[in-house]
Amino acid sequence: MAATLLIRIASVISLVFTAGHSLGGLQGWSPMGENDVLKEMRAVRFDTMGANRSYLDFFLGFGWSISVAMLLQTMLLWQLAALAQPNAARVRPMIAVFALATLASGVIAWRFVFPVPALFSGALVFVLSAAYWVAR
């Protein structure tokens, strides 16, 4: 299987991952539903750098920022596949960077978040590692 195809597969996995992450943010912050912690996150507000925000505002903002970064990853992987077409070996360092960053994100997700994002990260690392191997 060509490195170009593997990188495109990684881009599609990343797109599905991004969509899932973003759709989860539309349901509200807590996958467990309304609870005391979520109520307090809404209630505790503070002024910072000229804006009044709650803890929930910060968490939602961080989540949407992650969605933007994930979409950037998706688009860069798609473009990287086109660059790999004439000479796959020259994009190996970039494939390695994506794979290592995704591995780190997966470990963080496994340890601090929950298994689904870690499984998506694992699938991405697997496909990117295969692309790296094939792109010799």
Side-chain angles (χ1 to χ4, degrees):
M1 188 176 289
T4 299
L5 179 59
L6 289 166
I7 298 168
R8 294 246 191 237
I9 291 169
S11 179
V12 171
I13 293 169
S14 181
L15 180 63
V16 173
F17 192 4
T18 301
H21 183 270
S22 300
L23 290 172
L26 293 176
Q27 297 174 355
W29 183 73
S30 176
M32 288 80 58
E34 191 65 26
N35 59 52
D36 291 340
V37 172
L38 193 56
K39 288 177 191 173
E40 287 300 313
M41 288 178 74
R42 278 194 195 99
V44 175
R45 301 190 67 83
F46 48 90
D47 292 321
T48 181
M49 299 175 65
N52 185 277
R53 298 287 183 257
S54 70
Y55 277 104
L56 185 62
D57 291 335
F58 272 91
F59 277 96
L60 289 173
F62 292 144
W64 286 110
S65 294
I66 291 169
S67 287
V68 170
M70 292 171 75
L71 184 59
L72 172 66
Q73 171 183 276
T74 298
M75 293 186 298
L76 287 176
L77 285 170
W78 192 265
Q79 293 172 356
L80 187 62
L83 293 175
Q85 203 161 21
N87 183 2
R90 75 178 189 182
V91 299
R92 282 185 95 207
M94 289 179 272
I95 296 169
V97 168
F98 276 107
L100 291 172
T102 303
L103 177 64
S105 294
V107 169
I108 291 167
W110 186 265
R111 171 68 176 90
F112 295 105
V113 186
F114 50 89
V116 173
L119 295 174
F120 268 98
S121 294
L124 269 169
V125 168
F126 178 78
V127 174
L128 289 168
S129 296
Y132 181 85
W133 178 259
V134 169
R136 290 182 277 162

